[in-house]
Amino acid sequence: MNLIDTLEAARARYRERNPASERQLAEAATVMPGGNTRSVLFHAPFPLTMVRGEGARLWDADGHRYLDALGEFTAGLYGHSNAVIRQAIIDALADGLSLSSHNRREVALAAEIQRRFPSMALMRFTNSGTEASLLALATAKAFTARPKIMVFDGAYHGGLLSFGRGGSPINVPHAYVVAPYNDLAAAQALVHAHGPTLAAIVVEPMLGAGGCIPGEPAFLRGLSELARGCGALLVFDEVQTSRLSIGGRQAQLGITPDLTVIGKYFGGGLSFGAFGGRVDCMAQFDPRRANALSHAGTFNNNVLSMAAGLAGLQQVLTQEALAALNQRGDRLRERLNAVLQTHGVAAQFTGLGSVMNLHGMTGPVRCAADLATSNTWLKELLFFDLLERGVYMAQRGLVSLSLPFDESACEEMLGAFEDVVRARRDVLRG
């Protein structure tokens, strides 16, 4: 069979193996559009419904057990129900769920984040990375009194700031200047044209949802110089790349952004986001000032996220544990790519450390436009075949390792992947 016919057969087997998940979507569709309330989770013919997680394992509604190689799209850094974090949540519940006030844990969590990210001299908490990104850009516009934001093609800064495939119709309507990623000369030309009106240059140090495309060090350092030269603020979106070292990608590269956005795992697995940076920028929110900017949010400092986030950072996510995880990820990515090369399959994983993405193509991947020739059918077939072998990742190719994803888990995933590629190599090469 050719690739299309093989994929159709794989989809049919998936449907036969997962009747409970299919029924769950049908029921959900009676109360949610398409049965969905989080777009990234949907794929045809229907997504799996997971019912339980433990460590680096998941179980679905049909009783199948999986190695969790998705890690909640990078938010599940601690794995499922880490014992230390679970106990911190239980202890916080005993003190009262909603205190209608400041609480002690928010100060301790902010101090721990600041210790890891010194560039966040002052910060504010939100409920998601999306909110944090929105507020960081609003902060930059208020501080500079300028209207425009430079973003990069393929970037994702949250559900209302998405710039893949030409952007989203529900994006917040800032005046955007869109530049190609990893192209400093193009960014320079745009800054030359728009510099006096630019409030911020916002960039992911690695495109995340855009395909795990690392920002080249010279490109990111060049953006810092461009921002400084034109008076714009450099905003690093480290929602995903913060996990690449104890101080994120900015620490690895020695770059100090004016503002930083974080989220995902910093809430210990619960809802969380934060934005922070220079004192003069963030002081705009100081409520002791007569002209302070307002930033509301009932659950910004909710005690459960504060407790879970603090326990995770202080007791679980040590520098040694994080470094070891990213080393495992680098090795796994290299070995997965070696399998593809050995069997002559035109595909590759890109990424950094514990985050990577499969692409159905070979050759350099430096920006979103380079992915135009990626074979999405190839990726989909590998996705369904890996599910049959008990490995769960994103259909788009994203893999994100958690702390419990140890060496034996890496060997398990590598073995399943090699089995699939060997069995399908003629189809994949065709």
Side-chain angles (χ1 to χ4, degrees):
M1 291 193 294
N2 61 26
L3 178 58
I4 303 295
D5 292 337
T6 304
L7 177 56
E8 284 297 332
R11 288 171 179 160
R13 286 196 309 275
Y14 173 85
R15 188 183 293 275
E16 292 170 2
R17 283 169 47 83
N18 297 286
S21 285
E22 185 169 21
R23 288 195 301 270
Q24 178 67 25
L25 184 72
E27 181 180 351
T30 66
V31 288
M32 299 176 187
N36 180 270
T37 189
R38 185 182 172 195
S39 297
V40 73
L41 297 180
F42 182 82
H43 63 77
F46 53 86
L48 293 178
T49 294
M50 296 298 177
V51 297
R52 187 167 74 87
E54 181 180 330
R57 302 286 172 179
L58 287 166
W59 287 261
D60 70 15
D62 288 281
H64 303 125
R65 177 177 179 265
Y66 299 95
L67 178 63
D68 181 5
L70 181 52
E72 188 54 287
F73 292 82
T74 78
L77 182 59
Y78 297 109
H80 301 285
S81 302
N82 176 277
V84 170
I85 295 173
R86 183 171 63 241
Q87 188 59 51
I89 292 172
I90 292 170
D91 292 343
L93 283 170
D95 293 334
L97 185 58
S98 299
L99 301 180
S100 308
S101 68
H102 290 253
N103 63 75
R104 292 175 296 177
R105 291 183 179 92
E106 67 194 89
V107 182
L109 179 55
E112 183 61 31
I113 292 171
Q114 187 191 76
R115 185 178 72 81
R116 295 167 181 243
F117 288 78
S119 67
M120 300 178 73
L122 292 175
M123 71 191 73
R124 291 182 72 90
F125 294 159
T126 66
N127 293 280
S128 67
T130 296
E131 289 181 49
S133 292
L134 291 169
L135 282 153
L137 298 189
T139 301
K141 291 180 70 173
F143 184 74
T144 62
R146 295 176 174 185
K148 295 181 181 178
I149 306 292
M150 178 179 279
V151 298
F152 294 90
D153 181 38
Y156 178 82
H157 304 289
L160 301 175
L161 293 165
S162 179
F163 301 94
R165 296 183 293 278
S168 168
I170 63 170
N171 276 350
V172 173
H174 293 304
Y176 297 111
V177 177
V178 183
Y181 196 69
N182 273 330
D183 188 338
L184 186 58
Q188 288 172 329
L190 288 169
V191 168
H192 180 74
H194 300 277
T197 60
L198 281 180
I201 299 175
V202 56
V203 64
E204 297 169 274
M206 175 177 71
L207 290 184
C212 293
I213 303 174
E216 296 166 1
F219 168 69
L220 295 172
R221 293 190 180 105
L223 293 182
S224 179
E225 295 172 5
L226 287 175
R228 186 165 54 249
C230 74
L233 301 186
L234 178 66
V235 182
F236 261 23
D237 180 345
E238 293 237 43
V239 169
Q240 289 197 15
T241 55
S242 59
R243 59 156 49 214
L244 297 179
S245 83
I246 205 72
R249 188 69 171 146
Q250 59 189 261
Q252 291 179 322
L253 299 177
I255 299 173
T256 302
D258 299 298
L259 292 171
T260 296
V261 175
I262 59 173
K264 300 288 190 186
Y265 66 88
F266 280 95
L270 302 183
S271 299
F272 182 81
F275 66 104
R278 286 168 34 184
V279 170
D280 55 348
C281 297
M282 294 302 298
Q284 296 178 102
F285 293 96
D286 186 339
R288 298 170 297 184
R289 294 171 49 158
N291 60 342
L293 298 177
S294 177
H295 163 218
T298 301
F299 297 106
N300 287 349
N301 66 336
N302 76 87
V303 295
L304 295 188
S305 291
M306 301 299 101
L310 185 61
L313 293 183
Q314 288 188 335
Q315 300 179 55
V316 183
L317 195 62
T318 64
Q319 183 168 344
E320 295 75 19
L322 191 56
L325 175 65
N326 284 301
Q327 289 167 7
R328 288 199 297 277
D330 283 331
R331 288 195 300 269
L332 178 60
R333 187 178 66 257
E334 292 168 1
R335 296 174 73 187
L336 292 169
N337 280 334
V339 169
L340 292 166
Q341 292 164 11
T342 297
H343 293 283
V345 176
Q348 64 178 305
F349 284 87
T350 63
L352 292 170
S354 55
V355 186
M356 65 194 80
N357 206 103
L358 176 65
H359 305 292
M361 57 171 288
T362 56
V365 180
R366 299 182 62 246
C367 64
D370 289 339
L371 299 176
T373 61
S374 180
N375 188 334
T376 57
W377 292 328
L378 179 151
K379 292 200 299 181
E380 188 177 355
L381 178 59
L382 290 175
F383 166 75
F384 284 123
D385 280 357
L386 285 169
L387 283 178
E388 284 196 38
R389 287 163 174 80
V391 176
Y392 181 71
M393 57 185 280
Q395 191 185 64
R396 75 185 193 207
L398 178 66
V399 171
S400 174
L401 308 186
S402 61
L403 291 173
F405 202 103
D406 56 16
E407 292 290 354
S408 64
C410 289
E411 292 296 330
E412 182 179 339
M413 180 173 179
L414 183 68
F417 188 76
E418 188 157 21
D419 285 346
V420 168
V421 172
R422 183 185 296 109
R424 298 293 199 190
R425 60 187 170 189
D426 292 339
V427 171
L428 296 174
R429 287 188 297 207

